[in-house]
Amino acid sequence: MKKILLLMISCFLLSTMFVNAQRYAVIDTKYILNKMPEYIQANKQIQLISEQWQKEIDDKQAALDQMYKNYAAEQVMLSDELKNKREAELFNKEKEVRDLQKKRFGYDGDVFKERQRLIKPIQDKVYNAIQKIAVEKAYDFVLDKSEGITVIFVDPKLDKSDDVLRVLGIKP
């Protein structure tokens, strides 16, 4: 009986040693990215491009709305053939606006591609800095508290975001 009890206590102590031996860190990628001038610049550039494309879509939508108003006003005076022709024009114009909106802002659209082109290299740079710190300090895992994972409380001494900024050459 004593051997079993001693074995159980030994297993418990060993398991708690392994749990305590895990090293981890917490970072905030949103905080890190917002401290990086190139990220801020890339976001501004994407915002400007998005605004230009949205204006282009808005202009086309305004022209389409005007076409609808004109059609509604003239509809009673048009022959069936002209009505069908105008309705086809309206349908094509509406499809053109929807397609442009999808091309610019849809999944895998131009905004997504611009974001990938401008921001992904910056995110990769941050990831490499995090990986470097994780290897140097022998962390078993690194948690990102900015999005996705809900972290209720984090001891500030575990937050290594400033270390990542230093590796990137940015003053925290």
Side-chain angles (χ1 to χ4, degrees), residues 82-93:
L82 281 175
K83 281 183 187 179
N84 290 338
K85 184 178 175 189
R86 286 278 194 86
E87 287 171 0
E89 287 174 4
L90 288 169
F91 177 78
N92 289 335
K93 188 75 168 176

Side-chain angles (χ1 to χ4, degrees), residues 3-119:
K3 286 184 179 181
I4 293 175
L5 185 60
L6 186 61
L7 182 64
M8 287 176 54
I9 291 172
S10 298
C11 288
F12 176 74
L13 290 175
L14 280 174
S15 67
T16 57
M17 278 180 28
F18 287 122
V19 169
N20 290 336
Q22 286 185 335
R23 292 179 43 98
Y24 58 93
V26 177
I27 54 126
D28 185 345
T29 53
K30 191 179 279 188
Y31 167 78
I32 293 166
L33 289 170
N34 286 326
K35 291 282 188 172
M36 298 179 71
E38 64 259 40
Y39 177 79
I40 293 167
Q41 183 61 36
N43 257 347
K44 284 180 184 175
Q45 193 172 350
I46 290 169
Q47 183 66 31
L48 286 172
I49 291 168
S50 295
E51 288 171 2
Q52 288 172 348
W53 288 338
Q54 186 60 51
K55 184 179 178 336
E56 177 186 12
I57 291 168
D58 291 344
D59 291 346
K60 288 188 181 276
Q61 184 64 48
L64 176 63
D65 292 344
Q66 188 60 46
M67 285 176 69
Y68 269 115
K69 286 179 186 175
N70 293 343
Y71 173 71
E74 299 169 352
Q75 184 177 11
V76 290
M77 296 183 281
L78 296 175
S79 67
D80 287 342
E81 185 179 318
L82 281 175
K83 281 183 187 179
N84 290 338
K85 184 178 175 189
R86 286 278 194 86
E87 287 171 0
E89 287 174 4
L90 288 169
F91 177 78
N92 289 335
K93 188 75 168 176
E94 193 171 333
K95 185 178 182 320
E96 181 184 319
V97 171
R98 278 194 316 258
D99 289 346
L100 181 61
Q101 191 168 21
K102 184 178 177 184
K103 177 184 178 225
R104 297 292 193 211
F105 295 102
Y107 181 74
D108 263 353
D110 293 339
V111 170
F112 177 80
K113 290 175 185 171
E114 280 298 304
R115 187 171 295 282
Q116 286 291 102
R117 184 179 70 80
L118 294 172
I119 292 184

